Amino acid sequence: MKKVKTITISKSAYENNDLEADRLRGDLKNRGLFVVNVMSSPGAGKTTTLEGLIKLIGTKYKAGVIEADIDSDIDAVRISQSTGCRALQLHTGGMCHVDASMLRESIENLGEDDLDLIFLENVGNLVCPAEFDTGASLDMMILSVPEGDDKPLKYPLIFEKSRLVLINKTDTLGYFNFDVEKCTERIRMRNPSARVVTVSAKTGEGMESAASALVEFIENDRKEKGYARTE
Amino acid sequence: MKKVKTITISKSAYENNDLEADRLRGDLKNRGLFVVNVMSSPGAGKTTTLEGLIKLIGTKYKAGVIEADIDSDIDAVRISQSTGCRALQLHTGGMCHVDASMLRESIENLGEDDLDLIFLENVGNLVCPAEFDTGASLDMMILSVPEGDDKPLKYPLIFEKSRLVLINKTDTLGYFNFDVEKCTERIRMRNPSARVVTVSAKTGEGMESAASALVEFIENDRKEKGYARTE
């Protein structure tokens, strides 16, 4: 198939998204496919971070990417070219988030038989994506230094839900008034067990730690036996 | 009254938001009150920009501020302290946007008899706030340099709706790969008549031009006679 394909899904097929999300998560586990739901504000560096992570772990796990955007396919084309991964551009038809039915249909459109790992780059938004369980194996978020260290105070839910939080653009710490320690405390206030890693996807600093953290989540998921569906 | 008050509105009172938005806009015009709906991503510098604008035009127009957030009241406290303005913290109860009923109720809670101008700092989000007409007199957005110059491609609606666009954090242009000319072209592709002003709210550069542009919008609004409601 082509390396980049575009589909549009502008409404959810399911009435009970939580149930469908649990079902999808169960199906993914049964197939041995790990899906990471990557959330952040617009421009926090999701695509650059994914490029870095795929370069570091792409030989261990064969990866594909789903790029959700309101419009344009620049991210899907870019990441496919830079990493060689198959990428699907998901147009959400104006919708501010991705839900479980949208993710399931996107995975089917991307094709997953040969994949171990799929990154879903969610719509850039700190509010709505956190409200809809996508059914992904892991919720991860990226907060960038220029956005400010107060974001866990203002957008609690996304921090509560994310088990892995990358603080990105640390190369700009000298320029912005951003206190990493205070921000980490505020993240932990929302989610005491969150794994927090500081990175600069641009310079590569910290990216190996981020990749190791992600590998741990994948391997732990694979080790868990007797996964019980909630239905 | 106290300088800062907090209210929570977590659902809309109206079924037909567009009609109510037009009604509110008409009422505001009849009272000679100008309301600016300020939208941006999280951390693009809305509060700092408003502080700068209020310092420049606060003697000409008596201003109040409504700070909409999912949680916390740090912005309302901060802007009230730095500008002396009366500020209302609107908690949206998890909602990702402000609509016309929420704005009307917020204005009533802030108190508007003595005011000429109210800034509504919307929830940081490039998607949902653009989908709901608040009834404000002017939609304005702030795009910050660290977010990238591709945002008008990915988030079309907010650029279509905003008659005034500030490109903020120009003091970081040397650091980020952001093409102001290309970005302005992309904004104009979405809204050919958008007024685009480059500013650094941090250093003050360009803020006088932004204030002049805003004053023009206010004065033009006051000059318009025979405003026809759409109802």
Side-chain angles (χ1 to χ4, degrees), chain B:
Chain B
M1 69 173 276
K2 278 194 313 180
K3 281 278 186 187
V4 176
K5 178 177 165 184
T6 299
I7 60 169
T8 300
I9 310 174
S10 56
K11 75 189 208 29
S12 175
Y14 298 130
E15 279 191 18
N16 186 337
N17 182 61
D18 284 344
L19 177 66
E20 293 305 328
D22 279 334
R23 256 187 207 144
L24 176 57
R25 202 156 22 242
D27 291 346
L28 294 173
K29 193 173 277 258
N30 290 338
R31 292 184 220 164
L33 179 61
F34 196 85
V35 178
V36 186
N37 172 31
V38 184
M39 301 177 286
S40 82
S41 291
K46 288 187 289 303
T47 314
T48 310
T49 304
L50 291 190
E51 287 175 332
L53 289 174
I54 290 170
K55 277 172 196 162
L56 287 166
I57 65 173
T59 48
K60 195 172 165 75
Y61 309 102
K62 186 161 166 55
V65 180
I66 298 166
E67 293 282 345
D69 278 299
I70 308 288
D71 205 352
S72 99
D73 66 355
I74 49 177
D75 284 345
V77 170
R78 169 179 153 194
I79 205 158
S80 168
Q81 283 172 349
S82 63
T83 64
C85 280
R86 205 159 65 229
L88 177 80
Q89 182 69 52
L90 166 62
H91 282 166
T92 62
M95 274 179 80
C96 50
H97 64 274
V98 175
D99 69 11
S101 75
M102 294 161 81
L103 178 56
R104 187 184 283 275
E105 201 176 328
S106 298
I107 293 171
E108 283 162 9
N109 272 277
L110 176 68
E112 39 78 33
D113 285 355
D114 58 333
L115 301 179
D116 309 304
L117 176 63
I118 293 176
F119 290 101
L120 163 66
E121 190 180 319
N122 214 313
V123 180
N125 181 335
L126 292 193
V127 187
C128 319
E131 288 168 2
F132 292 84
D133 189 346
T134 60
S137 319
L138 176 68
D139 287 327
M140 160 178 157
M141 79 157 290
I142 301 173
L143 173 67
S144 66
V145 166
E147 294 171 69
D149 55 26
D150 60 351
K151 293 299 159 291
L153 302 177
K154 293 180 175 176
Y155 302 91
L157 189 63
I158 197 164
F159 290 93
E160 280 168 31
K161 289 209 159 180
S162 298
R163 290 192 288 157
L164 177 58
V165 180
L166 306 189
I167 299 178
N168 189 25
K169 306 194 187 178
T170 53
D171 52 297
T172 67
L173 274 171
Y175 200 81
F176 294 97
N177 186 17
F178 186 104
D179 186 329
V180 171
E181 205 172 318
K182 197 181 280 176
C183 185
T184 306
E185 253 171 53
R186 288 168 174 167
I187 294 168
R188 293 261 159 73
M189 197 174 81
R190 299 303 185 187
N191 180 358
S193 63
R195 184 86 178 257
V196 182
V197 185
T198 55
V199 302
S200 165
K202 188 178 180 180
T203 68
E205 197 196 338
M207 286 300 290
E208 291 199 1
S209 304
S212 301
L214 182 57
V215 167
E216 253 181 62
F217 279 109
I218 298 172
E219 293 303 320
N220 282 339
D221 188 73
R222 290 184 165 189
K223 265 182 236 149
E224 279 170 28
K225 301 284 183 197
Y227 181 85
R229 303 226 199 144
T230 59
E231 60 195 292

Side-chain angles (χ1 to χ4, degrees), chain A residues 52-109:
Chain A
L53 289 174
I54 290 170
K55 276 172 198 162
L56 287 167
I57 65 173
T59 47
K60 193 171 168 71
Y61 308 103
K62 186 163 165 55
V65 180
I66 298 166
E67 294 282 346
D69 279 299
I70 309 288
D71 205 353
S72 99
D73 66 356
I74 49 178
D75 284 344
V77 170
R78 171 181 150 193
I79 204 158
S80 168
Q81 283 172 351
S82 64
T83 64
C85 281
R86 206 158 65 228
L88 177 80
Q89 181 68 52
L90 165 64
H91 282 166
T92 62
M95 275 177 81
C96 50
H97 64 273
V98 174
D99 69 11
S101 75
M102 294 162 81
L103 177 56
R104 188 184 281 276
E105 200 176 329
S106 298
I107 293 171
E108 283 162 11
N109 272 277

